[in-house]
Amino acid sequence: MEVSVLNINGQETGRKVTLNDAIFGIEPNDHVIYLDVKQYLANQRQGTAKSKERSEHNGSTRKLGRQKGGGGARRGDINSPVLVGGGRVFGPKPRDYGFKLNKKVKVLARKSALSYKAKDNEIIVVEDFKMDAPKTKDFVNITKNLKVDGKKALVVLPDVDKNVYLSARNLQKAEIMSANNINTYKILNADVLVVAESSLKTIDSILNK
C-alpha cells in the first residue's frame, strides 16, 4: 500500500512510501486486540482499594450477648460484620491486576490495529520535522494544515522530541509518542495516526523481528 508523504504545511512532497504489508496489510485478529487492550487497561489500575476486616478494627473483644436465646444471630464481639461499624466480610485488598501476555500476541495485536487504520485510510505520513521551541500555536497550525484538527490524533515520532511534546501537551485531542512505544490501545483510541517518515523504519524493525 502506497501513501503520499506530506510536509507540515499539508502539501504533497511528490514522494510516496510503501507501507509494509506484513504490518499494515494483515487480516486483523480481533481476539488478540482484545487481550492486549485488556492488559493495557489492567496495568493502569492502581489496585490500592482496601477495607478493614474484623480483625483489623479497634474495639473490645467482649462477647456482647449470650450464645443462645437472643432470638437472632450469634454475633460475638462489637467488630462483628453483622453490626454497624464492624468489619467487612471479603472486602477488597491491595492487588496487582496485571497479567502476562506472550510477546508474539502483543506484536500481532499491534499489527492488527495498524492494519485497521491502514484499511480505513486513517494514516497520514509526514516528512520528519522538529520544532525550535515549544509553541502550542505552531503545533495547532500543523494539525490544521494536515486537516486533523478536531480529531484525536496520535503523532508518532522516530525519537522523543521534547519541544514537540511540550507544544502538544495542553491539547486534549493530540498525543505525542515515539515509534518504539506505540501500543494497541493508543493506536485504536486515535481517530488518525500522523506518522513521521522515519518512524516507519522503527516500526518495521520492532514488529518484524
Side-chain angles (χ1 to χ4, degrees), residues 19-121:
L19 299 181
N20 189 341
D21 285 339
I23 296 174
F24 296 90
I26 70 168
E27 183 64 33
N29 186 318
D30 291 340
H31 184 62
V32 296
I33 288 177
Y34 159 75
L35 290 175
D36 199 15
V37 170
K38 182 181 178 182
Q39 187 198 44
Y40 175 84
L41 294 176
N43 288 336
Q44 306 308 303
R45 299 183 68 174
Q46 288 184 323
T48 55
K50 173 73 172 71
S51 67
K52 287 187 177 182
E53 295 186 350
R54 181 173 189 159
S55 63
E56 296 169 316
H57 267 285
N58 289 326
S60 172
T61 58
R62 178 176 65 89
K63 189 174 177 69
L64 298 178
R66 47 188 299 195
Q67 179 77 355
K68 294 183 178 181
R74 295 163 293 181
R75 58 193 183 185
D77 60 42
I78 202 166
N79 300 324
S80 170
V82 300
L83 297 176
V84 175
R88 182 171 172 185
V89 181
F90 304 128
K93 295 181 178 180
R95 56 171 288 195
D96 180 10
Y97 286 90
F99 59 93
K100 184 181 179 299
L101 270 186
N102 291 333
K103 288 182 180 179
K104 289 183 179 180
V105 170
K106 295 175 72 67
V107 167
L108 180 57
R110 278 178 284 177
K111 287 182 178 180
S112 297
L114 290 170
S115 295
Y116 268 127
K117 290 298 179 186
K119 188 182 295 186
D120 295 337
N121 294 318

Side-chain angles (χ1 to χ4, degrees):
M1 178 180 178
E2 285 192 339
V3 179
S4 298
V5 180
L6 308 179
N7 57 27
I8 57 175
N9 296 319
Q11 301 164 339
E12 292 196 11
T13 59
R15 293 182 292 110
K16 290 189 176 183
V17 292
T18 302
L19 299 181
N20 189 341
D21 285 339
I23 296 174
F24 296 90
I26 70 168
E27 183 64 33
N29 186 318
D30 291 340
H31 184 62
V32 296
I33 288 177
Y34 159 75
L35 290 175
D36 199 15
V37 170
K38 182 181 178 182
Q39 187 198 44
Y40 175 84
L41 294 176
N43 288 336
Q44 306 308 303
R45 299 183 68 174
Q46 288 184 323
T48 55
K50 173 73 172 71
S51 67
K52 287 187 177 182
E53 295 186 350
R54 181 173 189 159
S55 63
E56 296 169 316
H57 267 285
N58 289 326
S60 172
T61 58
R62 178 176 65 89
K63 189 174 177 69
L64 298 178
R66 47 188 299 195
Q67 179 77 355
K68 294 183 178 181
R74 295 163 293 181
R75 58 193 183 185
D77 60 42
I78 202 166
N79 300 324
S80 170
V82 300
L83 297 176
V84 175
R88 182 171 172 185
V89 181
F90 304 128
K93 295 181 178 180
R95 56 171 288 195
D96 180 10
Y97 286 90
F99 59 93
K100 184 181 179 299
L101 270 186
N102 291 333
K103 288 182 180 179
K104 289 183 179 180
V105 170
K106 295 175 72 67
V107 167
L108 180 57
R110 278 178 284 177
K111 287 182 178 180
S112 297
L114 290 170
S115 295
Y116 268 127
K117 290 298 179 186
K119 188 182 295 186
D120 295 337
N121 294 318
E122 293 175 348
I123 296 178
I124 297 174
V125 179
V126 296
E127 61 182 4
D128 295 346
F129 67 95
K130 289 186 177 295
M131 300 182 74
D132 297 329
K135 198 165 186 181
T136 302
K137 185 177 179 180
D138 290 347
F139 187 84
V140 170
N141 288 333
I142 293 175
T143 61
K144 288 180 178 178
N145 293 336
L146 297 174
K147 298 179 181 178
V148 297
D149 56 315
K151 297 180 180 179
K152 282 196 288 187
L154 177 63
V155 181
V156 183
L157 302 177
D159 297 300
V160 176
D161 190 314
K162 187 176 180 180
N163 288 337
V164 178
Y165 168 74
L166 292 175
S167 300
R169 183 172 57 176
N170 288 337
L171 299 177
Q172 189 175 4
K173 291 191 174 183
E175 186 166 1
I176 309 298
M177 187 169 281
S178 57
N180 57 351
N181 286 329
I182 60 170
N183 59 68
T184 306
Y185 177 83
K186 294 294 186 182
I187 294 169
L188 294 176
N189 190 47
D191 295 327
V192 60
L193 298 184
V194 179
V195 184
E197 195 173 358
S198 297
S199 299
L200 294 173
K201 295 179 182 177
T202 305
I203 292 172
D204 279 355
S205 64
I206 293 173
L207 300 184
N208 259 345
K209 287 183 180 179

